Amino acid sequence: MFSHVLPADSPVGAALAAAADRTMAFLDYFAGVFTLLSLTAAVVCGLAATDRLVLTRRLRVAVQALHRATAVAALGFLTVHVAVKVAERHAAPQSAVVPFTGGTLLAVSLGTVAADLLVLVAATGVLRGRFAGSRRPWLWRVLHSLAYACWPIAVAHGVTAGRRAHAWVLWGYGLCAAGVALVLMVRGLSHLGRRRALKRCRRGSRAYRPATAHPAALAALSAPAPRTVAAARPVGAAARPMTPTEPGRRSVPHAGPARQPRHAPPPELRPLRLAQPRSGR
């Protein structure tokens, strides 16, 4: 390809043309494979970043950073893959953007669909803060979940499009599928564990919920209790010795002097009469 641009009669031009052709052949053969590997790593890291059973908080932050890095790498390899295919005239320019156009095959159109979904998922990842501050924050999760559809379409495109894949390529696709399936299983178990823990917490809160009190019971509790007057025993009676009694007769404790009621009327005062002296004779 580069033999028409660079002069082939000079040794430097010939060496550069040969190196450029080998580079183009390498990218033509492996750019799509690197794109699929990077996309698989991004999907696996994205699933693992939500785990609460195995990973700690620091590990989840590290996995999220790795998820973003692999997503950027997948976009870069995808750009190189599409550019090489268009430059080699293996696909039309409009077919790289709009699927099922330009008379392309179904396998090539699947690759275009996967590329469009990958660009959309990456854009939602960059604009996550905008979605969090909007009225519909759930829309980000729906759009970002399109990566689950992007990955299998990309695998189908890699297996069916282009030349016949070697055995090691098929084994690589199988390992990618096994890794994604394993992480999906771990995430499903983690989700079930969180749901069971939430149900237990709800049941515990219902068990310890206080009962509703009736107004009549509250009124009875707030009413003052009746006061009871206990009979006070005089202190002097306890210190007074008991008198001996006759045999056969029970001793009765001395109750002391009788007390008058608190509000009893005072006793009547009688005039004191003095005796008249007798007159002596």
Side-chain angles (χ1 to χ4, degrees):
M1 173 182 175
F2 285 88
S3 59
H4 301 284
V5 180
L6 298 175
D9 51 355
S10 62
V12 179
L16 290 177
D21 291 339
R22 285 194 297 267
T23 303
M24 289 293 294
F26 177 81
L27 294 177
D28 186 19
Y29 194 79
F30 288 104
V33 178
F34 292 157
T35 304
L36 182 60
L37 292 177
S38 302
L39 179 60
T40 303
V43 172
V44 170
C45 293
L47 290 172
T50 59
D51 178 62
R52 298 293 193 281
L53 296 178
V54 181
L55 300 180
T56 60
R57 184 176 300 177
R58 293 184 178 180
L59 289 179
R60 287 199 300 268
V61 173
V63 172
Q64 288 178 1
L66 185 60
H67 167 68
R68 297 187 185 96
T70 51
V72 172
L75 281 177
F77 286 125
L78 175 64
T79 304
V80 174
H81 176 61
V82 173
V84 169
K85 291 301 180 181
V86 172
E88 292 289 342
R89 297 180 181 179
H90 295 164
Q94 66 272 13
S95 301
V97 180
V98 183
F100 305 103
T101 58
T104 56
L105 299 176
L106 178 61
V108 179
S109 299
L110 290 177
T112 305
V113 173
D116 294 341
L117 290 177
L118 179 58
V119 172
L120 179 60
V121 170
T124 56
V126 173
L127 300 176
R128 182 176 182 177
R130 298 286 185 86
F131 284 97
S134 63
R135 297 181 179 179
R136 296 182 293 273
W138 53 267
L139 185 59
W140 177 87
R141 188 175 296 275
V142 173
L143 294 177
H144 205 70
S145 299
L146 293 176
Y148 299 119
C150 173
W151 183 82
I153 295 175
V155 172
H157 165 73
V159 173
T160 58
R163 62 184 65 88
R164 185 179 180 181
H166 293 283
W168 65 270
V169 177
L170 297 178
W171 277 103
Y173 288 165
L175 290 176
C176 292
V180 173
L182 178 62
V183 178
L184 275 175
M185 183 179 64
V186 172
R187 182 174 181 180
L189 293 177
S190 177
H191 181 67
L192 291 177
R194 288 198 302 269
R195 291 190 62 182
R196 290 180 180 178
L198 185 59
K199 287 183 180 180
R200 291 177 183 176
C201 292
R202 289 178 178 176
R203 290 176 182 176
S205 61
R206 290 176 183 176
Y208 290 99
R209 182 176 298 176
T212 57
H214 296 282
L218 293 177
L221 291 175
S222 60
R227 296 182 179 180
T228 56
V229 180
R233 184 179 180 181
V235 180
R240 187 174 300 174
M242 299 186 65
T243 56
T245 57
E246 298 179 1
R249 182 180 299 179
R250 298 178 61 183
S251 60
V252 180
H254 191 270
R259 288 188 174 185
Q260 295 182 358
R262 176 179 295 180
H263 301 288
E268 297 181 359
L269 298 178
R270 296 180 180 181
L272 181 62
R273 295 181 180 182
L274 301 177
Q276 294 293 334
R278 296 181 179 181
S279 58
R281 292 182 180 180

